[in-house]
Amino acid sequence: MAVQIRRDGAVAVVTVDRPEALNALDTATKELLLGAVRELSGDDTVRAVVLTGAGDKAFVAGADIAEMKDMTSEQARQSAALGQAIMSAIEAAPQPWIAAVNGYALGGGCELALACDLRIAAENAKFGQPEIGLGITPGFGGTQRLVRVVGMGWARHLVLTGHHVRADVALRIGLVQAVVPRDELAAKARSLADELASRSPLAMRYCKAAVQAAGNVDLETGQGIERDLFALCFATEDQKEAMAAFLEKRAPEIKGR
Ligand code: CAA
């Protein structure tokens, strides 16, 4: 099974599991991953998702090079479309996705991490878009999302040089939000997922959608989206309860309504 889903309470852990190929994304794995994103997106008992790679070496080492080698242009276009559909589905998911980057996140692996809402790296993680060395461009959204996440300067550096960067550099340039020792990664990602899962799932979904919009629309339109989502929050029981709990100096009882 190249993609595992493990549910534990309100958190699901999705593991790309092809360690013999450093979890490289071939078509079968991509289809399983897209299926996993869709399945979890339709499950309102899942309030946060952790995405990681199997084994000690890699998160995901990219698209599968052996599979790509003899592709025609048309096959490459379809392959990119499937990869991009996964990334868009993660961004559109109602729950926050946390990438727990446990090793190489290269090419499609870096792009997968970029599609997640939050990124935590182990100290051994390495990031990069090495496609230039293979005679291709990134194809799963990397050229677009890198610019949005780390800005044009670092995006150009990563895409044009193909150089890998270590976790400490990834932290400095804002590609990840935290770096932890390898053996603490799963627990750290899990505790962050638990924290997010304890919040109002509707407000979480709206926060995710509002921030997402900022990368895609002009300020005026984005503020309009923010206003609408802000207003929607006030139609939820969770907003009334969370504000009452604050004023009464107690923990809120979040119901997801
Ligand atoms: N596709 C297919 N197989 C891969 C792979 C990939 N992306 N990455 C690693 N593997 C395989 C290797 O071929 C090797 O298989 P065998 O044992 O059968 O020989 C196995 O995984 C272990 O890899 P290495 O022996 O190379 O391990 P290493 O520790 O020496 O090097 C590495 C690790 C630096 C990550 C190196 O494997 C590597 O450079 N991998 C390719 C990274 C890459 O270029 N990714 C981008 C792909 S293109 C892409 O993703 C396009 C896009 O935008 C969608």
Side-chain angles (χ1 to χ4, degrees), residues 56-256:
D56 284 334
K57 271 181 81 172
F59 174 69
V60 165
D64 191 292
I65 298 168
E67 188 185 69
M68 282 188 295
K69 179 177 157 291
D70 294 321
M71 277 183 186
T72 63
S73 285
E74 192 41 42
Q75 288 167 331
R77 184 184 296 280
Q78 285 168 14
S79 166
L82 177 55
Q84 290 176 356
I86 298 168
M87 311 309 160
S88 298
I90 290 173
E91 282 180 342
Q95 316 90 344
W97 279 61
I98 301 168
V101 182
N102 57 313
Y104 289 109
L106 301 176
C110 189
E111 292 167 305
L112 189 56
L114 282 166
C116 291
D117 299 286
L118 301 170
R119 285 165 289 283
I120 305 176
E123 283 167 347
N124 68 318
K126 288 216 173 85
F127 295 80
Q129 297 289 159
E131 287 88 347
I132 189 68
L134 296 166
I136 60 173
T137 65
F140 296 172
T143 58
Q144 306 306 300
R145 289 194 183 83
L146 263 181
V147 173
R148 287 164 165 78
V149 173
V150 299
M152 189 68 87
W154 275 102
R156 282 203 174 107
H157 176 85
L158 290 165
V159 173
L160 302 188
T161 68
H163 291 173
H164 301 175
V165 294
R166 295 190 319 256
D168 59 329
V169 177
L171 181 65
R172 183 155 52 79
I173 68 177
L175 185 47
V176 300
Q177 284 74 52
V179 178
V180 298
R182 172 72 186 88
D183 60 358
E184 292 173 22
L185 180 67
K188 174 81 181 172
R190 177 59 203 248
S191 78
L192 186 56
D194 285 338
E195 183 188 334
L196 300 186
S198 74
R199 305 300 192 184
S200 160
L202 294 166
M204 185 65 68
R205 179 182 196 154
Y206 301 155
C207 283
K208 173 168 169 162
V211 173
Q212 183 66 32
N216 302 327
V217 301
D218 62 76
L219 181 62
E220 184 85 359
T221 310
Q223 290 203 124
I225 292 168
E226 184 186 82
R227 271 196 311 279
D228 289 345
L229 293 170
F230 183 74
L232 274 180
C233 292
F234 286 76
T236 69
E237 286 179 33
D238 286 343
Q239 173 266 326
K240 303 284 178 260
E241 164 62 9
M243 290 192 182
F246 173 82
L247 295 171
E248 292 160 21
K249 303 190 190 309
R250 61 174 175 82
E253 265 187 66
I254 295 301
K255 300 234 171 62

